Amino acid sequence: MSFLAPGREQNFVLKHIADIGALVEHGRFAGASEDMVEAIVEGIGQFAEGEFAPLNRIGDTVGAQWHDGRVTMPEGYKQAYTQFVEGGWASIDGPEDFGGQGLPYSLSALILETCGAANFAFTLCPMLSFGAVEAIHAHGSAEQKAQYLPKLISGAWTGTMNLTEPQAGSDVGALRTTAEPITDGEHAGKYRIKGQKIFITFGEHELTDNIVHLVLARTPGAPEGTRGISLFIVPKYHLDADGNPDAPNDVTCVSIEHKIGIHASPTCVMSYGEQDACIGEMIGGEFGGMKAMFTMMNNARINVGSQGVQIAERATQQAVHFAAERIQSARAGSGNKASVAIIEHPDVRRMLLRSKALTQAARALLYYATSSVDRATLGIEGAKSRAEILTPLIKAYGTDIGNEVASLGVQVHGGMGFIEETGAGQYFRDARIAPIYEGTNGIQAADLVGRKLGLDGGEAMEVLISEIRAEADEEESLSALADACADIRQWMASGDASIDDRLAGSYAFMTMLATATCGMLMKKQHRIAEAQLNGGEDPFLKAKLVTTRYYLDYIVPEAMGLKAAALGGADILYSLSSEELVA
């Protein structure tokens, strides 16, 4: 089936949840007028439907191909990426000083959501570049910014993040890549980079004429662990005096991974300095690598949360389309023995309505998080702390939703969902990576009960929970869930809960808090839709009332069942030794 961008839904959430209109009052985002926002929503929708979506299937069946150190993309991908760049879609929130449009991050997130729903794997290419732009803009020298930002912001070049190594996994402090200072010659003041990185998204491709790698490495004598890490800019091609790609750097794509999904996204094994001639320049100062990395990672985690929305939207669209066309069995209790479309059967209805409600809840959480980032950029009080709390929630809960909805999409198809030709399986396979990369969802939960629990002395989370209570009003289930979150937060912050106890209950608590936050956002949407409908006939608003009601009445109460796990402590987890657990 053809992909249709959910433009009206996106406009509704941007207006009423992100409150993007309020950002216009600040000079920084004066360009984000209502007309501009609607034009961007419509324009990127048309682009994604016409250019990215038709390539989704060949991206899965053919995928990126590696040969002799080079990666080629399936037919049509280079042309589509060129049109993406020419349309200005890569530069929406880029700094105006370097050719960007200076619009809110929420609109950049919109670009990723729409394009990612059309073609999940392909959209990873610009997504990683956005992180490189943030890091260089925040930590680069004036010369580095002038050299790299205009090309990265426009999309003419792409960027990567090089963190993980074979022996290190998520333990960034265990990396071994080295950076030796160069004291003389044409590269004096720079570094020779040597080492191998794995899981590098779009580390090699032919879509652009240069790729800018941001590589974490250790200088000689650096302290052990994360304290001794520095960040380096390592371009695929050196730049000439005019800033154009020139001679190749000593950067090699050794291979690409054979993955269960996202086949159109080359996941590369990158080797730096095989000929001892890989040149990089430090960014952010010696031992400033972790600080620079988190500049890249924070919004990248929100963007991965968006991927949950993307895959849920696409899987839901396909499931609804299939259910409306698939004729099978009479509807039970109808008195009519004629077979009907499976969309008429109660259990199929349950799966479809659940998919829609979860997708809309995740989308609301996404733009609530991005708008908090925008408000933090403007220096609005409390916005930075709110964004920090929401980041692990959208990353983890959003991607968990993407996986659940993709699985429901397969289930709606029945046996045909298990057949690759229907395409439902692709969304199921593609979705599975999102809870893993950019910090596993377990790491997000640990972050929530670690640093975020005591943010602003605990006040940041208390304020969020109080706002959930206020919006809940007479919604008993949502009020009860907010109270439960408050109780768990207090217990975890007390001396009664050990570190192991907090970590053991972290995932359950994170899911409860995310569900409560989404419940608040869905209640707000229900209230607004009800006022707008006012007894009239608007299919969109009528559907909004039903999906929000479903979330509040069915999904919010489910989360209360996690309270026991959140408060259960770690004793049960360690009641068996490692040897006994393995046996």
Side-chain angles (χ1 to χ4, degrees), residues 210-225:
N210 208 356
I211 302 172
V212 181
H213 301 289
L214 296 183
V215 182
L216 290 178
R218 294 186 183 282
T219 51
E224 293 295 318

Side-chain angles (χ1 to χ4, degrees), residues 30-48:
S33 66
E34 185 173 353
D35 288 345
M36 174 63 77
V37 171
E38 290 180 355
I40 290 172
V41 170
E42 181 181 3
I44 194 59
Q46 292 174 348
F47 173 83

